[in-house]
Amino acid sequence: MSGFVEHLTARHQALRYVAEALGFPWELPSERKRLVDARGRAVCGDIIAPESIPAFDRSLRDGYAVRSVDVRGASPSSPAFLSVKGEVPMGKLPNFSGTAGSAAALFTGGAVPEGYDTVIMAEDTSRMEDLLEVRCAGAPGDFLVKSGEDVACGDTLLRRGEMIDARTALSLAALGITELEVSRVRVGILSTGDEIVAAETPSLLPGCVRDANASFLTLLFQELGCHVTVYGIVSDVPEILQERFLQAQSENDVVLLSGGSSVSTRDLCVDLLRTLPAPGLLVRGVNIAPGKPTLIAGSREPGRLVVGLPGHPLSCAVVARMVVVPLVHLLRGGENSGADRQVLVRAGSDVIGKMGVEEFFPGEIRGGTVWPILAKSGYVRGLQRCGGLIRLPENRETVRGGEEVEVCLW
C-alpha cells in the first residue's frame, strides 16, 4: 500500500489504544528543578500542601474587624457604636480576641483577631479616639478570608503528570515550594523527504521546500518542558533513514518523523516501525482531517513512542497538537483532558465540513467569537493568528454562523 490507508482509527480510540498498548504512564527519569526553571515540566508525583493558606484569618480591606451580630441592622441613619479594642500591626498576629461590642483596627492583608467574623471597610465608619461609629451591617465572612479557605494543609495541589506553569507556580511559591522533582521527556525530530532542505537555505532550487515542521515541533514540545533534539533531514533512502532513525530511537523517549506518513516515505516508515520491539506498529491511519495517514508505533521495553507525521505543515501541526501532545501528557502521567481543552464558542461565519471524519480548522478568536481561517493542509500561515482549532466531530457536517462550535484551545 502506498499513499492511502485502508483502516482509519478514531482519534480518541487511537489515544486510548496506544496508551494501553504502551503501558502509559511510564517511569521516566526525573531531575530536581527550581520552580522558576520548570515551566512546562510535569511533576513526578502528587504535590501536597504542607500548610494552609492563609495561615490565619486575613482581612481583605483596610477597616475594622467586628462581630456581625454587633452591627446587625446598622445604617447611616441608625449606626452602631463600638469600642476600639486595639490595632493589629501588619506582619504580626493579634494579642487580643474579639469581645461583644468591640472592634479591632486592621489593614488589608492583616490578621483578624479570634472572635471577629466580619470586616467593615474604613469608609463606612467614623472614629473618635476609641469610639467607632459603624454605618453599615456586615455578614459573617465579609471582606475576610478564613484560615485554610484558599488552600488547606494536605490538599493536593498538583497530581502526577500535571504541568507547571505561571498559574500553578502562584500557589507553589506561596507555600514555599521552590524546588521539585520533574520528569524528563526526550523528543527526537527527524525530517524526511528528498524535496526538504534546511530552513536556513538562502535560496531554493526548483521543487524544494524549507523544513518548517522541525522548528514548529521543536518549539511546541519545548513549551511542554521536553528536551528536544533535531536530527536533521534524511532523504528517502532506506539505509540512511534506518541508520538515523535507530540513532534517534536510542537517544529519545519520543521520536517524531516529520513527513513520515507522506506518500514518498510511507511504506519506508511502515517497514521501519515494524522493526520496533513489541507492540510495534499500532495505528496506521487516524480518522481526522487533515492528518489521516498518521502512523503511531512504539515499544514497551524500552519505552518508546514513534509517530509518523504528515509533511504538509498544517496537517503536521494538527496531528502534533491533537494526537502527539495528548500522548505525551499520558505517557508522563497526566490526563488527556489537560491537552485537549475544549470550549464552546459562537462561530463568526459558516464552517463547512463533511460527515464521517473528525475535522479541524484553525480559528481566530475575537470578542468571544471564533472566525475560521482559510488554510489548506500545505499552508504555513494558517496558525499565525490561530487561537484554537475548530472541531467538527464525525457526525457534524456544517456549522452556520452564529451557532456554537467546539474549539480546542491552542
Side-chain angles (χ1 to χ4, degrees):
M1 180 185 72
S2 178
F4 65 96
V5 292
E6 295 174 335
H7 303 288
L8 295 172
T9 306
R11 183 175 60 93
H12 284 292
Q13 180 184 345
L15 296 177
R16 289 193 301 269
Y17 176 53
V18 171
E20 293 172 3
L22 296 182
F24 291 166
W26 288 340
E27 290 297 329
L28 295 164
S30 66
E31 54 188 346
R32 195 160 188 82
K33 297 287 269 186
R34 295 194 309 156
L35 177 61
V36 292
D37 296 326
R39 180 176 181 270
R41 304 295 289 272
V43 295
C44 293
D46 292 355
I47 305 297
I48 307 299
E51 59 192 55
S52 295
I53 298 178
F56 50 86
D57 292 358
R58 189 178 185 189
S59 175
L60 296 176
R61 296 288 190 275
D62 290 350
Y64 295 87
V66 303
R67 301 192 322 152
S68 58
V69 67
D70 290 334
V71 296
R72 184 179 299 156
S75 67
S77 60
S78 180
F81 292 93
L82 306 174
S83 63
V84 179
K85 194 170 187 179
E87 182 177 292
V88 182
M90 289 298 293
K92 303 289 185 180
L93 290 178
N95 56 8
F96 61 91
S97 300
T99 54
S102 70
L106 38 65
F107 306 95
T108 301
V112 176
E114 184 180 352
Y116 297 121
D117 63 354
T118 189
V119 172
I120 303 297
M121 293 190 295
E123 51 263 42
D124 292 320
T125 67
S126 295
R127 179 177 175 178
M128 181 176 293
E129 296 183 347
D130 290 338
L131 181 65
L132 182 71
E133 179 189 68
V134 180
R135 296 186 295 274
C136 72
D142 280 357
F143 302 119
L144 64 83
V145 181
K146 300 291 289 182
S147 173
E149 181 180 326
D150 188 3
V151 178
C153 182
D155 279 355
T156 300
L157 297 176
L158 290 175
R159 298 195 179 277
R160 176 190 174 186
E162 289 190 300
M163 287 198 319
I164 298 166
D165 58 19
R167 296 166 299 175
T168 55
L170 196 63
S171 55
L172 293 172
L175 288 162
I177 302 173
T178 57
E179 288 190 358
L180 60 176
E181 291 289 322
V182 294
S183 62
R184 181 168 58 91
V185 179
R186 301 164 301 170
V187 176
I189 299 169
L190 187 59
S191 300
T192 65
D194 291 331
E195 78 285 9
I196 306 298
V197 298
E200 58 269 22
T201 301
S203 58
L204 293 175
L205 294 174
C208 294
V209 294
R210 293 185 180 89
D211 184 10
N213 291 347
S215 296
F216 166 81
L217 294 170
T218 296
L219 293 177
L220 178 65
F221 289 97
Q222 283 178 344
E223 289 174 0
L224 294 183
C226 300
H227 179 271
V228 179
T229 303
V230 178
Y231 289 85
I233 301 164
V234 181
S235 61
D236 299 334
V237 177
E239 295 77 17
I240 299 176
L241 179 60
Q242 182 179 27
E243 178 183 354
R244 197 75 60 86
F245 172 73
L246 290 175
Q247 179 189 358
Q249 182 196 343
S250 68
E251 298 173 354
N252 295 279
D253 307 293
V254 180
V255 177
L256 304 178
L257 298 168
S258 171
S261 68
S262 59
V263 173
S264 60
T265 59
R266 184 175 176 82
D267 287 344
L268 294 179
C269 289
V270 167
D271 292 340
L272 200 59
L273 300 186
R274 282 176 172 156
T275 66
L276 289 167
L281 183 60
L282 293 167
V283 175
R284 191 170 178 174
V286 181
N287 192 31
I288 61 174
K292 284 184 181 180
T294 299
L295 303 171
I296 309 176
S299 60
R300 278 179 173 259
E301 295 294 339
R304 296 290 184 268
L305 170 66
V306 183
V307 182
L309 299 160
H312 283 164
L314 183 59
S315 297
C316 175
V318 168
V319 174
R321 177 63 187 82
M322 300 310 304
V323 176
V324 186
V325 168
L327 287 174
V328 169
H329 278 277
L330 290 168
L331 75 83
R332 61 186 185 181
E335 296 291 333
N336 177 30
S337 58
D340 203 4
R341 299 171 298 142
Q342 294 182 0
V343 295
L344 288 175
V345 183
R346 183 167 51 88
S349 60
D350 294 351
V351 184
I352 309 299
K354 51 184 178 289
M355 294 287 287
V357 61
E358 184 182 22
E359 292 187 273
F360 295 94
F361 306 84
E364 181 180 5
I365 301 175
R366 302 195 308 267
T369 300
V370 63
W371 299 84
I373 300 171
L374 177 63
K376 298 179 181 178
S377 62
Y379 283 15
V380 295
R381 289 194 64 185
L383 297 182
Q384 196 161 318
R385 301 185 313 277
C386 178
L389 296 172
I390 299 170
R391 175 181 178 267
L392 294 189
E394 294 92 332
N395 60 354
R396 189 169 187 181
E397 182 175 4
T398 299
V399 173
R400 297 299 180 189
E403 293 181 342
E404 286 192 329
V405 64
E406 292 179 49
V407 176
C408 303
L409 298 178
W410 191 265

